[in-house]
Amino acid sequence: MGTLKQIIVVGRGPAGLYLSTLALAQGVGVTVIADGLGSCALWGGHWDFVSRDEQGHVVQDPWRWWEGRPPVPEADPVPRSVWRAWWQDLARFWRQLGIVPDHEPPRTNRWLVTPVGTVRPVFLAPQWHWAEEEPRPVTLVGFHHFIDFPVEVAAQNYQQETGCRAEVLVLPHPPLWTPAWQPLQWAWYFDTDPGREWLKDALRAASAPASLPLVFPQILGVDRVDAVFSAIQAALGVAVGEIPLTPPSVGGLRVQRRWERWLRRRGLRLWSAHAVRATATSVELEDGRMLTADAVVLATGGILGGGIQVAVNGAATDPLTGVDLGQATTPRDLGRLGYPRPEMAVPVVGRQVGGRDCDRQGMGGAMILWSGRRVWRHLEAAVGEEAPSRHEGNVGRLS
Amino acid sequence: MTHTEEFRESLESGLFIGHNIGRSQWHVKVTERCERLWRTQQRVERCWVFSWGEAMVVVVGGGASGLGVAWDLTLRGIPVTVVEAGEIGAGTSGRFHGLLHSGARYVVADPVSARQCYQENQILRRVAGAAIEDTGGYFIAVGEEDDYEARWLSAMRDAGIPAVPVEASALNARISGLNPAQRGGYWVPDAVLEGFRLLYLLSDNVAARGGKILTHSRLMRVHQRNGRVVGATLHTPQGMVDLACDAVVNAAGPWAGGVARLFSDTLSMHLAAGVMLLFAYRRVPVVVNRLAYPGDGDIFVPHGKTVIFGTTDVRQDAPEPPVPSRAEVEALLRKGQDLFPDIAAWRALRAFSGVRPLYANESATSSRHVSRDFSIINHGARVGLDGAFSLVGGKWTTFRLMAERLGDEVARYLKVSAPCRTAEMPLADPRPRGSAGLSPVVCECEGVTVQELSAWKEVGPDEWRARTWWAMGPCQGTMCLHRGLSLQPAAGAEGWRRRVEAVRAERARGFWPAAYGDNAREFQLQQAVRFQTLGEEDADGNP
Amino acid sequence: MRETWDACLKCTLCVSQCPVVSVNTDFPGPKALGPEWYRRWQASPGEVMNHVHDCTFCQLCEAACPVAVPVAHLIAEHKAHALSQLGWRNRLRDSLLARPHRVGQWMPVGTVPPLVRRWGGLSRRVRFPSRRRGRVAELGPALSPPRGVVGLVQDCYSRAYDPELVNMAAALLRLWGYQVRLLPKSPGCCGAAAMAQGRPALAHRLAGGLWAQLAREGQGCDVLVTLNATCDGTVRDEWARDGFGLSLPVRPFDALAMEAPAAFWERLRLFSMPDSVWLTHTTCRGKVARGDGHLLALAARAGFPSVRPVDAACCGAGGSYAFKAEHEATAEALAEAIRRQVAEEGAVAGIITDSGTCALHIEDATGVATHHPAYWLYHRYRESLGEGPANERKRS
């Protein structure tokens, strides 16, 4: 790997973890510097390709949509075969983590149910998600006093939006429940043996409509979710799925815990520190310490992650590099602020790259894949290695 | 034609609502039946409204002055119908800094108004204590010295408003983050007025005594006979309503000019917008004013868990409050640095503006030079329409006094001898908040539970927010909007979408100009939750 | 330092990392007890919440926070206002535990009679520390030319219960070419324990005292080296926040170990260890102050075979948290995750961790020898010298 032995990744969200994985898989040492948990646990754990076009219309076939479209205006479009290889590789990697997407990569976007019963497109989703190619009749399962998933509203919205039947099943709350419980507390409870038993008993007692899939809010355990799923499936013999909720997302948390476990076991070093300045080969920390490496990558998460600061007048700056990133004059501009491309003096990945509103268009996953791959190839090329031929063949395996 | 005759006539013609103040059992029964009809009717083309009182007054405007007048007249036994175009407090009264003036701010430029403020300050503490937090306030000297302090002190003495000197060190100990260069100041009896709380106390008490509060309704026409007001046509969500009445009071604040045109009169209003910035935490424990000629960005008012900082003064023509721009927020913050050098790092929440409805001659250059005193206009004397009155100018703090003077005028006109009682009659909450009990928290920022929200679920989202403070905290509904709205009666998928969009749009207006620093991150978190987790449609309109 | 106590985004990531929330169904979590409570407190002082004393002050919430809200510090403030929730006996107990250097001085042997435990609100199941005296042999002449003077900071726990560890660390440092001075001369405390007991003012006072001691006695040293991760984080992060800056760099023992002379590592490699699994556990406060993976890197470098990180973020010891009767269940439930991992990993030969109380608690829960990296390095080096297997010493 030439002289590339050690890199520093600033940021612990999915873009930072993805780049770290690419590096570790190629035998390059990685130090992640983060002053927070990162954004993995803010989202459900699924990765989007593209969900909506610029006008806000739903995109069903993301493959076709990306055909001939560059990820950012300054870049070239990515050929379908390359996208495919990247997604395939990610899905293979997920399997190692015990996250099993149904089809890899999917042929089209699938329909993910939201906490209010509407449906939105989603691309690569973990096995827990209730994400179907076509909406179908379901039983939505709520719990008494579980306000993050208003099951009656959700059922009504689901029926009217998809035309499919949605039965409602409201289970009581567990005896240990207190009004302070948030989704996480439920999830931790279902991680325990008594919690799982309680859920099985409650479901048996409630007599759910036979044969319809049971769709729960995403609280069926954290580390032991697979055991909870198996227990319900064994007890009732129906399909089970979950709906990702508002942050902190249990699904994202599951993914992060598995992913970081994998990375830690391969020697990832995580520095808990606040970086204040970055150059191509060094990072200065708040307490004055200086870390150096062969390369530094910023995966600092755009505005939400703190990688881009917005002043009162709308001016945007990267606090680590001081680079001026333009000015927001409308609310919409905020979503698109960022660097024009990933291969900057200090390379950037994920939401640090601007030009696309990943929230409105639902394309965060695609941008992570693309920017991560671009930066990785850029780093390899920068140390004198022959760059892999553009787009073709060699996409580098994560594992 | 007497009211009773009109009533009998209209019994045959359609629908009606009525008032039942001090009438017989028969009247009450008929009234109840009418009420039921009124309520059950989804939409009516035409509706007659009656009262059996000697008189009936329509008050236009559901803000402090309108509801103040309604409360004043109600206590005099005069039935009222309040007509409000939006929600209660949708105009200026819900968009102010929350300061219950001691008068100290105006004492140099406008001693009359200052004296009124001080008197009213004392009265309101007595009768509306539930809506007032007695924090006290400081006037703090900072920046270049001038003669203002001396003039201010002598004016304070003349006006009889107490002012106690406070050492700079004592101020630093009490208020963190204060400019170390401040030169000390004075304690004054400023206080914090919870505007919405007081507005709802007024409207609930008016309604509890039989008054009608019609929100989302407008006055369309004033009927006159022989130069006297005899009725009004209202546009209500249920349809057009003709209402027999004996007087119309225009208390529409910035919209007063438009309402006066219905009296065929013109009012020269001096409208000026003031921008305010709301901070997410209670950074200052007391009211903080700058001891200087009143200017921009010199008031900090702790309001519940937040601080309101204001304000500016921008002349404008339209009565609608403009959405503040980021440039205005920036300018305001620069001013605020004189008192609090680190203010730009305080976590912002929202920015909003209110329109001061001052009444003055056109020559005034700035509204800060226009008297904060109020005026009562009898349109009978001006354009020959008896029974039409306007209440313009004034301040939140003096709303009760304004209402009293207008009430006197209306009572005189209606030949009602009952005196004003608002200075003695405490405003008790007719529907007190129950204890939260074992109920899940819907809005974590403001600690609003399912139980508290359920108590008000029949009202619209805006009133719901203003009454419970749901979705008003630092996350601006990011985490709780769907939890809250799902407690309202089912409305179908389309209805759900509309409700969500309405609340989002209302919150976004004030959120955006304050979306800088950490609040910009909050803004982006909300975008992500809306479009990714909740799959909301993009209803913000294209850029 | 950024003053960001009002920055909370309500993302609730802090709750997702709270060890207590994950096992205690009554605990409202850091967001409610910290920033949300504080916001309410400013408007209406006097309101405190139940269960606030169940927080371990691990600070993982703060480490998770994207906007640097001092969540745990706000909870410590909350605890301070809620001391009356504890009975007077628990208050007395906590005021002792807030001064661990005094406890160590007065009660160097951790055998607490059951009656006293019950009366004093102490756990009757958990193991209390007892003093490890063992003499420590020097490791031979220095492997490097003189490298300077190290002020080795003895934490309250090691000074009172594990002087052996201090001597081992000193022996290693001398081997690596350092002169070692043991600091502070008389017992002092960094204040971490007082913060955990909800006494921020006391913590500030204690920190000031130790700071003055270290500043005085550290003159002539080139670097201060900490053994205990909690003290390390407190001295570097917390003190800086409180204005107790030290002119000397403060570094954890394992960071210095990574810079040990090449001859040291070569020597270790000569002696290969039998096939076995080793776990590293970075204490929660170590994760907060420094991050994760440092112990793992050290162990891998020292040639420990099959080193893996403990997956659980917190072992449940929480300083003196696990010693309290009311926290027994939480502490045990947290340790249970480590016990499960040990069972799943198979033959775990030892666990490496950088805190005495964590080691005690983990060893108690798993039955696997759990020690500070200095202990393991010391014994591994002795083995490489052919001076007997590390495990011959009986565990107390």
Side-chain angles (χ1 to χ4, degrees):
Chain A
M1 203 44 60
T3 59
L4 194 65
K5 295 251 186 308
Q6 182 73 34
I7 65 168
I8 294 174
V9 177
V10 188
R12 195 182 170 185
L17 297 187
Y18 182 66
L19 194 85
S20 304
T21 308
L22 285 173
L24 279 173
Q26 306 293 320
V28 174
V30 180
T31 298
V32 167
I33 299 176
D35 64 352
L37 186 67
S39 62
C40 287
L42 293 179
W43 322 127
H46 45 270
W47 282 36
D48 288 325
F49 201 175
V50 58
S51 305
R52 290 178 184 273
D53 63 18
E54 286 92 342
Q55 284 72 45
H57 303 126
V58 164
V59 172
Q60 289 219 316
D61 183 349
W63 300 101
R64 212 176 63 212
W65 189 87
W66 277 108
E67 210 77 69
R69 274 198 175 80
V72 295
E74 283 197 15
D76 296 328
V78 178
R80 185 187 278 240
S81 61
V82 174
W83 276 126
R84 182 174 300 283
W86 291 348
W87 282 113
Q88 250 164 5
D89 198 41
L90 180 70
R92 257 199 309 269
F93 176 65
W94 275 19
R95 284 191 172 274
Q96 281 196 37
L97 305 182
I99 307 165
V100 192
D102 281 348
H103 301 280
E104 34 184 84
R107 289 187 310 276
T108 59
N109 274 327
R110 298 154 79 78
W111 295 103
L112 179 66
V113 186
T114 74
V116 294
T118 54
V119 290
R120 59 156 291 206
V122 71
F123 193 64
L124 199 66
Q127 68 268 33
W128 321 296
H129 281 38
W130 188 253
E132 293 291 287
E133 279 184 351
E134 287 300 331
R136 55 169 163 142
V138 292
T139 298
L140 298 179
V141 187
F143 294 87
H144 186 48
H145 279 331
F146 186 84
I147 56 177
D148 284 88
F149 179 50
V151 64
E152 303 282 350
V153 169
Q156 189 182 56
N157 286 346
Y158 186 81
Q159 291 192 126
Q160 293 188 13
E161 196 165 284
T162 66
C164 297
R165 187 155 65 97
E167 296 292 334
V168 168
L169 181 65
V170 179
L171 300 179
H173 57 67
L176 290 175
W177 176 87
T178 76
W181 273 27
Q182 293 174 337
L184 268 164
Q185 273 100 339
W186 289 79
W188 285 121
Y189 176 66
F190 291 137
D191 246 20
T192 64
D193 295 338
R196 209 163 52 236
E197 287 309 310
W198 177 86
L199 181 59
K200 265 192 329 201
D201 292 344
L203 279 169
R204 281 207 202 92
S207 60
S211 81
L212 283 187
L214 292 177
V215 180
F216 292 81
Q218 193 160 60
I219 52 170
L220 299 180
V222 183
D223 291 331
R224 305 172 82 190
V225 52
D226 301 315
V228 181
F229 267 62
S230 319
I232 301 173
Q233 277 156 349
L236 298 172
V238 291
V240 177
E242 283 181 325
I243 295 172
L245 306 175
T246 49
S249 164
V250 173
L253 191 64
R254 289 173 193 154
V255 171
Q256 181 173 20
R257 288 167 78 91
R258 289 170 193 223
W259 198 349
E260 289 192 348
R261 185 170 187 262
W262 187 93
L263 292 167
R264 276 206 310 273
R265 287 180 172 235
R266 276 150 192 83
L268 176 104
R269 288 178 81 174
L270 177 67
W271 283 62
S272 171
H274 181 64
V276 292
R277 219 157 51 86
T279 71
T281 55
S282 73
V283 177
E284 189 185 333
L285 305 181
E286 192 177 33
D287 58 13
R289 282 177 297 169
M290 186 77 91
L291 295 186
T292 57
D294 301 322
V296 172
V297 179
L298 302 184
T300 40
I303 294 172
L304 178 53
I308 298 174
Q309 278 175 356
V310 180
V312 189
N313 65 5
T317 341
D318 183 328
L320 297 186
T321 61
V323 171
D324 175 0
L325 297 170
Q327 188 163 14
T329 54
T330 70
R332 287 225 168 173
D333 293 345
L334 278 189
R336 287 191 287 251
L337 287 174
Y339 288 90
R341 58 187 176 280
E343 312 91 325
M344 305 301 297
V346 186
V348 292
V349 291
R351 290 302 291 269
Q352 284 297 97
V353 183
R356 291 275 187 197
D357 191 330
C358 293
D359 294 323
R360 279 197 167 77
Q361 282 199 260
M363 54 164 57
M367 293 299 279
I368 290 169
L369 279 184
W370 172 73
S371 59
R373 291 290 181 168
R374 282 288 287 243
V375 164
W376 182 240
R377 207 185 60 198
H378 169 75
L379 291 181
E380 286 182 317
V383 295
E385 277 270 315
E386 203 184 312
S389 61
R390 206 175 165 81
H391 298 323
E392 263 66 60
N394 180 6
V395 295
R397 296 283 292 265
L398 284 170
S399 44
Chain B
M1 190 158 53
T2 66
H3 289 311
T4 311
E5 282 164 353
E6 276 197 44
F7 170 68
R8 289 195 193 288
E9 193 178 280
S10 63
L11 265 181
E12 289 122 43
S13 68
L15 293 159
F16 32 80
I17 57 173
H19 295 265
N20 57 7
I21 294 179
R23 294 299 105 191
S24 72
Q25 281 301 308
W26 180 81
H27 286 119
V28 173
K29 255 191 191 154
V30 173
T31 308
E32 278 168 1
R33 216 179 76 214
C34 300
E35 293 271 356
R36 264 201 308 282
L37 278 165
W38 166 257
R39 287 215 190 96
T40 52
Q41 210 65 22
Q42 285 299 311
R43 188 178 167 79
V44 288
E45 280 305 308
R46 211 79 180 153
C47 169
W48 283 90
V49 184
F50 282 91
S51 86
W52 290 267
E54 285 81 4
M56 221 288 285
V57 177
V58 169
V59 179
V60 184
S65 47
L67 292 171
V69 166
W71 177 232
D72 184 283
L73 296 178
T74 300
L75 287 182
R76 293 178 203 250
I78 301 171
V80 293
T81 294
V82 177
V83 185
E84 162 58 48
E87 298 276 358
I88 296 296
T92 307
S93 303
R95 310 177 141 268
F96 81 124
H97 45 51
L99 173 56
L100 183 69
H101 282 286
S102 61
R105 184 172 167 82
Y106 301 108
V107 74
V108 172
D110 197 349
V112 176
S113 179
R115 228 172 264 127
Q116 286 171 354
C117 280
Y118 183 55
Q119 282 163 14
E120 287 303 303
N121 177 306
Q122 302 300 304
I123 292 171
L124 289 181
R125 283 165 194 257
R126 270 203 319 272
V127 298
I132 288 165
E133 191 190 348
D134 183 12
T135 59
Y138 290 118
F139 272 74
I140 299 177
V142 68
E144 279 175 36
E145 287 191 56
D146 55 20
D147 64 341
Y148 186 77
E149 187 170 340
R151 294 184 56 193
W152 182 79
L153 269 178
S154 101
M156 288 290 277
R157 258 193 311 276
D158 293 347
I161 306 171
V164 184
V166 189
E167 295 284 326
S169 58
L171 289 173
N172 283 333
R174 182 85 205 275
I175 305 162
S176 65
L178 204 54
N179 187 347
Q182 50 94 3
R183 303 190 301 276
Y186 298 87
W187 175 92
V188 299
D190 278 349
V192 179
L193 174 60
E194 288 180 47
F196 276 112
R197 181 111 177 90
L198 186 43
L199 293 174
Y200 284 122
L201 279 176
L202 288 167
S203 72
D204 290 352
N205 274 290
V206 167
R209 283 173 163 78
K212 291 283 167 292
I213 314 279
L214 306 179
T215 54
H216 300 286
S217 302
R218 286 166 189 280
L219 175 68
M220 305 305 287
R221 238 187 95 200
V222 177
H223 305 274
Q224 50 176 301
R225 194 172 295 157
N226 306 325
R228 290 175 73 91
V229 170
V230 294
T233 300
L234 309 181
H235 185 273
T236 75
Q238 280 85 2
M240 294 296 259
V241 176
D242 284 336
L243 191 70
C245 67
D246 301 281
V248 175
V249 175
N250 168 17
W255 289 270
V259 174
R261 277 196 287 281
L262 300 176
F263 305 150
S264 308
D265 201 347
T266 49
L267 291 181
S268 77
M269 297 298 293
H270 179 105
L271 302 183
V275 172
M276 281 150 280
L277 187 57
L278 187 63
F279 292 106
Y281 280 65
R282 191 176 167 111
R283 282 272 188 169
V284 295
V286 293
V287 176
V288 171
N289 302 267
R290 187 171 172 169
L291 182 57
Y293 289 100
D296 286 356
D298 56 1
I299 310 180
F300 294 82
V301 183
H303 207 269
K305 298 166 197 157
T306 63
V307 167
I308 300 179
F309 164 50
T311 133
T312 61
D313 185 76
V314 182
R315 180 89 197 249
Q316 66 170 50
D317 295 326
E320 287 79 23
V323 178
S325 72
R326 293 178 79 103
E328 284 175 303
V329 172
E330 195 181 13
L332 200 56
L333 284 173
R334 252 199 313 274
K335 291 277 182 193
Q337 281 168 351
D338 290 348
L339 276 167
F340 292 97
D342 288 337
I343 191 171
W346 292 8
R347 167 65 188 281
L349 188 58
R350 298 172 64 77
F352 61 98
S353 70
V355 177
R356 297 185 189 89
L358 303 182
Y359 176 64
N361 58 42
E362 256 85 16
S363 64
T365 51
S366 151
S367 49
R368 292 232 164 78
H369 298 117
V370 177
S371 170
R372 297 309 175 92
D373 200 0
F374 56 88
S375 307
I376 287 163
I377 293 152
N378 184 341
H379 297 275
R382 284 162 58 111
V383 292
L385 179 60
D386 289 337
F389 302 90
S390 289
L391 180 56
V392 286
K395 336 191 28 55
W396 226 124
T397 302
T398 56
F399 86 96
R400 193 211 60 83
L401 181 66
M402 294 155 62
E404 174 179 344
R405 298 271 170 79
L406 187 114
D408 289 346
E409 188 85 8
V410 171
R412 203 158 37 243
Y413 172 73
L414 297 177
K415 302 190 173 59
V416 175
S417 57
C420 169
R421 288 169 59 209
T422 53
E424 296 90 46
M425 191 71 176
L427 280 158
D429 195 340
R431 192 172 166 178
R433 260 191 181 197
S435 74
L438 275 185
S439 181
V441 175
V442 174
C443 165
E444 289 159 27
C445 301
E446 297 298 332
V448 187
T449 63
V450 168
Q451 196 182 321
E452 288 167 278
L453 275 173
S454 301
W456 292 104
K457 65 183 169 192
E458 74 280 4
V459 304
D462 287 338
E463 182 176 344
W464 214 25
R465 264 194 308 101
R467 280 189 185 270
T468 62
W469 232 243
W470 158 69
M472 305 278 265
C475 92
Q476 293 285 285
T478 303
M479 309 296 173
C480 65
L481 182 116
H482 68 294
R483 296 178 192 159
L485 285 185
S486 65
L487 299 175
Q488 290 210 326
E494 184 56 28
W496 170 265
R497 201 177 55 78
R498 269 203 311 274
R499 274 184 201 165
V500 170
E501 276 171 17
V503 182
R504 291 291 191 211
E506 189 282 330
R507 293 283 86 188
R509 270 198 295 279
F511 202 165
W512 158 247
Y516 61 87
D518 287 323
N519 209 33
R521 301 176 68 173
E522 185 81 76
F523 190 89
Q524 284 306 100
L525 179 62
Q526 182 170 96
Q527 299 287 299
V529 167
R530 287 178 59 186
F531 299 121
Q532 301 207 38
T533 311
L534 298 175
E536 285 178 22
E537 300 278 326
D538 185 356
D540 290 356
N542 284 315
Chain C
M1 277 291 156
R2 295 158 295 156
E3 198 203 347
T4 47
W5 50 262
D6 64 354
C8 178
L9 302 180
K10 304 283 163 183
C11 68
T12 322
L13 290 182
C14 51
V15 181
S16 80
Q17 298 304 297
C18 176
V20 181
V21 164
S22 72
V23 295
N24 179 345
T25 51
D26 289 333
F27 189 62
K31 184 177 62 147
L33 293 171
E36 278 168 8
W37 164 80
Y38 190 58
R39 189 163 178 264
R40 206 164 52 242
W41 175 268
Q42 287 179 312
S44 43
E47 279 179 42
V48 290
M49 295 170 72
N50 291 332
H51 301 293
V52 62
H53 295 288
D54 291 340
C55 157
T56 67
F57 197 68
C58 69
Q59 294 183 315
L60 286 168
C61 45
E62 283 177 14
C65 180
V67 285
V69 174
V71 186
H73 287 79
L74 293 174
I75 299 176
E77 202 65 43
H78 191 170
K79 285 178 184 171
H81 292 293
L83 287 182
S84 62
Q85 273 179 11
L86 302 164
W88 68 271
R89 276 191 290 201
N90 282 359
R91 277 211 299 282
L92 178 65
R93 172 199 68 188
D94 290 0
S95 96
L96 283 173
L97 294 176
R99 298 168 174 86
H101 57 307
R102 298 295 172 220
V103 176
Q105 239 180 336
W106 302 325
M107 308 195 300
V109 179
T111 44
V112 187
L115 255 177
V116 176
R117 288 192 183 204
R118 190 153 93 183
W119 185 88
L122 295 168
S123 164
R124 283 185 282 169
R125 292 206 292 265
V126 81
R127 201 173 104 203
F128 280 76
S130 50
R131 195 172 165 93
R132 263 196 254 266
R133 283 188 188 280
R135 300 214 181 285
V136 169
E138 283 301 308
L139 294 170
L143 299 175
S144 140
R147 289 180 156 197
V149 185
V150 161
L152 183 60
V153 181
Q154 308 177 73
D155 54 282
C156 316
Y157 185 89
S158 306
R159 180 194 280 271
Y161 305 109
D162 205 355
E164 180 193 79
L165 174 69
V166 179
N167 293 338
M168 287 173 176
L172 283 166
L173 288 165
R174 279 191 285 269
L175 179 70
W176 298 334
Y178 298 100
Q179 266 188 60
V180 179
R181 224 188 269 170
L182 292 188
L183 302 177
K185 293 206 178 82
S186 59
C189 176
C190 61
M195 275 306 265
Q197 320 304 327
R199 288 162 167 85
L202 175 65
H204 190 79
R205 224 165 44 238
L206 292 175
L210 182 59
W211 171 73
Q213 278 190 72
L214 291 181
R216 199 171 51 240
E217 297 168 14
Q219 277 172 16
C221 292
D222 299 304
V223 60
L224 295 182
V225 171
T226 58
L227 284 173
N228 180 297
T230 302
C231 302
D232 179 72
T234 306
V235 170
R236 280 190 298 119
D237 289 359
E238 306 282 300
W239 285 15
R241 196 196 293 255
D242 284 355
F244 298 129
L246 287 163
S247 55
L248 292 175
V250 179
R251 305 187 64 198
F253 177 83
D254 63 277
L256 247 72
M258 287 300 272
E259 296 163 10
F264 177 75
W265 303 113
E266 280 158 21
R267 182 86 226 170
L268 289 189
R269 295 238 170 70
L270 288 179
F271 175 83
S272 70
M273 295 179 79
D275 213 17
S276 53
V277 175
W278 291 77
L279 298 181
T280 59
H281 171 61
T282 304
T283 65
C284 33
R285 291 291 296 279
K287 287 195 181 77
V288 172
R290 300 176 59 216
D292 206 351
H294 309 290
L295 291 182
L296 192 96
L298 178 68
R301 185 151 197 191
F304 286 87
S306 308
V307 196
R308 281 157 209 174
V310 164
D311 292 325
C314 171
C315 66
S320 52
Y321 186 83
F323 298 143
K324 302 183 189 176
E326 69 270 31
H327 297 150
E328 233 167 33
T330 299
E332 280 171 9
L334 286 170
E336 169 62 18
I338 302 185
R339 203 196 54 70
R340 211 162 46 220
Q341 187 182 350
V342 165
E344 282 163 13
E345 300 281 2
V348 176
I351 300 176
I352 307 167
T353 189
D354 45 5
S355 153
T357 43
C358 294
L360 185 75
H361 192 69
I362 295 174
E363 202 168 272
D364 201 22
T366 62
V368 178
T370 307
H371 294 284
H372 192 274
Y375 173 96
W376 293 116
L377 283 181
Y378 178 87
H379 283 287
R380 185 132 165 63
Y381 191 75
R382 293 256 296 165
E383 279 170 8
S384 73
L385 294 173
E387 292 175 5
N391 298 341
E392 72 183 6
R393 205 183 56 78
K394 293 275 181 293
R395 285 200 283 111
S396 45

